[in-house]
């Protein structure tokens, strides 16, 4: 029911448990799940996981085990620190479609899919712009592989939203660029926000979804832009 992956890397402390993770059999059988041993036609570099690493597109990086030493098929759920205690969230808190049911308990579940998210990359918080001068806000959006349906921009702290222009769709797991023009009409502070929605209707949250380890942070980003 699970495929178990052991990595050669070790923790910084002697008491850190051996890094062994599992993924469900159905996920391992997807054509996008890979054991990568080359990158750009060359052997996988050490820092990228030589001699081989697991690649699980759409799932969080905890499953992307580096420096693989063994791969085993298991008829029961893997029970170790990295599966039973670490990288878990309260059950029902997040809209995960692809759940790791063999690892779920009555109260919590492993993190799996990457939550839909976006960021502004063209301007920093506190940036100064000129009144009347056209400018362009831009950034990237991403999700677990359902595809980015839309990105929206607000320049008034979330009171109103405008649909941004999406860049090329380079594949379900690729970043999707977005952009939107803006011209400040008067001096003052503008609270600029972005939110993305994916192909199955999931969108970013306006309030942090609290969980013990702080996973899946996809609150809409907000920056202040000062028009002078």
């Amino acid at each position: 029911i699970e495929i178990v992956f052991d990595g050669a890397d070790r923790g910084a402390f002697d008491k850190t448990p051996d890094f062994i993770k599992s993924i469900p059999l159905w996920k391992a059988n997807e054509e996008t799940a890979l054991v990568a041993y080359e990158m750009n036609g060359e052997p996988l570099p050490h820092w990228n996981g030589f001699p081989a690493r697991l690649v699980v597109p759409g799932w969080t990086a905890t499953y992307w085990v580096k420096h693989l030493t063994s791969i085993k098929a298991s008829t029961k759920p893997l029970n170790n620190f990295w599966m039973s205690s670490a990288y878990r969230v309260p059950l029902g808190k997040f809209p995960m479609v692809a759940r790791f049911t063999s690892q779920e308990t009555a109260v919590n579940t492993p993190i799996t899919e990457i939550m839909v998210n976006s960021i502004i990359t063209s301007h920093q918080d506190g940036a100064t712009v000129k009144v009347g001068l056209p400018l362009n806000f831009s950034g990237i959006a991403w999700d677990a592989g359902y595809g980015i349906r839309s990105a929206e921009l607000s320049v008034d702290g979330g009171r109103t939203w405008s649909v941004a222009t999406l860049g090329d769709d380079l594949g379900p797991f690729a970043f999707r660029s977005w952009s939107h023009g803006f011209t400040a009409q008067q001096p003052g502070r503008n609270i600029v926000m972005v939110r993305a929605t994916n192909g199955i209707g999931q969108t970013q949250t306006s309030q942090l979804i609290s969980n013990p380890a702080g996973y899946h942070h996809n609150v809409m980003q907000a920056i202040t832009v000062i028009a002078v």
Side-chain angles (χ1 to χ4, degrees):
I1 63 172
E2 295 180 11
I3 307 299
V4 179
F5 300 85
D6 192 354
D9 51 339
R10 294 290 184 269
F13 301 99
D14 292 339
K15 293 183 179 180
T16 302
D18 188 12
F19 195 75
I20 304 175
K21 293 282 292 186
S22 67
I23 61 175
L25 178 63
W26 64 263
K27 188 65 178 177
N29 280 331
E30 288 186 344
E31 64 177 10
T32 53
L34 305 172
V35 173
Y37 56 89
E38 289 183 349
M39 187 170 71
N40 298 327
E42 299 290 338
L44 200 62
H46 171 78
W47 295 114
N48 295 89
F50 179 87
R53 73 171 300 166
L54 184 61
V55 175
V56 192
W59 279 31
T60 53
T62 179
Y63 297 100
W64 294 45
V65 182
K66 292 181 177 180
H67 314 294
L68 287 174
T69 59
S70 73
I71 302 173
K72 299 178 181 178
S74 177
T75 58
K76 59 183 180 180
L78 177 63
N79 181 17
N80 67 6
F81 171 78
W82 301 112
M83 296 303 299
S84 301
S85 299
Y87 301 107
R88 302 182 74 89
V89 293
L91 193 64
K93 278 260 187 177
F94 296 92
M96 292 182 289
V97 176
R99 289 162 50 192
F100 199 162
T101 55
S102 62
Q103 288 287 342
E104 284 188 349
T105 71
V107 295
N108 59 37
T109 185
I111 58 174
T112 54
E113 297 178 313
I114 296 169
M115 297 291 103
V116 60
N117 216 332
S118 63
I119 57 174
I120 300 165
T121 59
S122 58
H123 294 76
Q124 294 183 338
D125 187 38
T128 300
V129 299
K130 292 185 178 181
V131 172
L133 181 66
L135 58 90
N136 193 56
F137 287 111
S138 60
I140 55 175
W142 66 93
D143 81 327
Y146 301 106
I148 297 300
R149 177 190 297 173
S150 66
E152 298 168 282
L153 192 77
S154 173
V155 295
D156 55 13
R159 291 191 296 272
T160 61
W161 294 88
S162 299
V163 177
T165 300
L166 292 178
D168 292 340
D169 184 353
L170 302 177
F173 303 110
F175 288 154
R176 190 80 182 268
S177 64
W178 60 266
S179 62
H180 195 282
F182 171 68
T183 302
Q185 300 300 321
Q186 58 187 13
R189 300 164 69 88
N190 299 272
I191 306 300
V192 182
M193 303 174 66
V194 61
R195 69 181 178 193
T197 301
N198 71 5
I200 59 173
Q202 296 174 340
T203 192
Q204 293 176 247
T205 63
S206 57
Q207 298 292 326
L208 183 68
I209 300 176
S210 178
N211 64 95
Y215 295 126
H216 291 326
H217 178 12
N218 70 335
V219 175
M220 293 177 285
Q221 183 191 15
I223 65 171
T224 299
V225 174
I226 304 168
V228 295

